[in-house]
Amino acid sequence: MSESGKGAVATVEGGADAEWGEVRSRTVEWRDPAGPARKARELDGLGYLRAILDGEIPAPPIASLMNLRFLEAEPGRVVFALNPDESQYNPIGAIHGGAVCTLLDSVAGCAVHTTLPAGWGYTSVEIKVNYIRGATRDSGPLTATGVVKKSGRRIAFAEGEVTDSQGRLVATATSTLLVFEVPQES
């Protein structure tokens, strides 16, 4: 094998690429996230997430990158879906655990966001994920639900779970999040 350029993409010399099939690709598009971030300072968390759901504010770039869709937002609870595809596969042909963790981190954080007033934000302090079963593109959409367990002035606790299209549990998570006032732009 030889490396192609300076990146981590390896190619097989001698025409063996045909053995592995055609190269596949996926296009990722997003809007500049600066405008939506400014809007997030003006709206309470629930209003902000509902504006994304209603298409009034573009979804964050991570949604396009990960094939995420926002499905529901209510006080202390959100539901997202991830459409798994091969671009999320690990070396053994299953959805990478990092993709599932990202999904769980997203629903835990956004569940907390639904409880915050305008001008307040959050960031993950810690997340613990338990993987119950693997998933592939054939698992169908993965549905993730995030729920706030306790919201405080500085720390919040949330839980999440991911199920496959047959309703089988894929993973669960508990998360601790730091809650803070977002600094004003200067």
Side-chain angles (χ1 to χ4, degrees):
M1 282 192 172
S2 66
E3 289 242 353
S4 172
K6 295 181 182 178
V9 177
T11 59
V12 178
E13 292 180 19
D17 284 342
E19 176 183 350
W20 307 113
E22 294 293 317
V23 172
R24 298 175 186 190
S25 65
R26 189 170 70 103
T27 301
V28 178
E29 297 177 335
W30 66 90
R31 304 241 184 233
D32 179 354
R38 281 191 298 278
K39 195 70 173 168
R41 291 185 199 85
E42 300 170 11
L43 298 172
D44 66 43
L46 182 59
Y48 181 71
L49 290 174
R50 285 186 172 162
I52 292 172
L53 275 165
D54 294 340
E56 298 167 12
I57 296 174
I62 190 74
S64 179
L65 181 66
M66 297 289 300
N67 280 339
L68 293 177
R69 290 186 332 272
F70 289 51
L71 301 178
E72 298 176 30
E74 57 189 65
R77 182 179 177 275
V78 298
V79 180
F80 294 178
L82 179 143
N83 288 330
D85 67 33
E86 293 171 340
S87 72
Q88 301 158 342
Y89 274 18
N90 63 22
I92 61 170
I95 302 301
H96 193 285
V100 174
C101 182
T102 299
L103 179 60
L104 285 161
D105 186 56
S106 297
V107 295
C110 287
V112 168
H113 197 183
T114 66
T115 67
L116 299 180
W120 284 76
Y122 65 91
T123 191
S124 300
V125 173
E126 145 319 299
I127 187 166
K128 180 189 182 302
V129 178
N130 292 305
Y131 299 96
I132 313 301
R133 75 173 62 249
T136 66
R137 69 179 182 177
D138 297 330
S139 299
L142 302 179
T143 303
T145 303
V147 178
V148 174
K149 299 312 277 183
K150 171 111 175 66
S151 187
R153 290 181 175 210
R154 288 287 175 212
I155 296 288
F157 301 93
E159 294 179 351
E161 73 173 33
V162 175
T163 56
D164 65 16
S165 63
Q166 295 179 25
R168 297 178 302 184
L169 192 60
V170 172
T172 63
T174 56
S175 182
T176 306
L177 300 106
L178 177 67
V179 176
F180 57 90
E181 190 169 7
V182 177
Q184 295 299 315
E185 290 183 302
S186 40

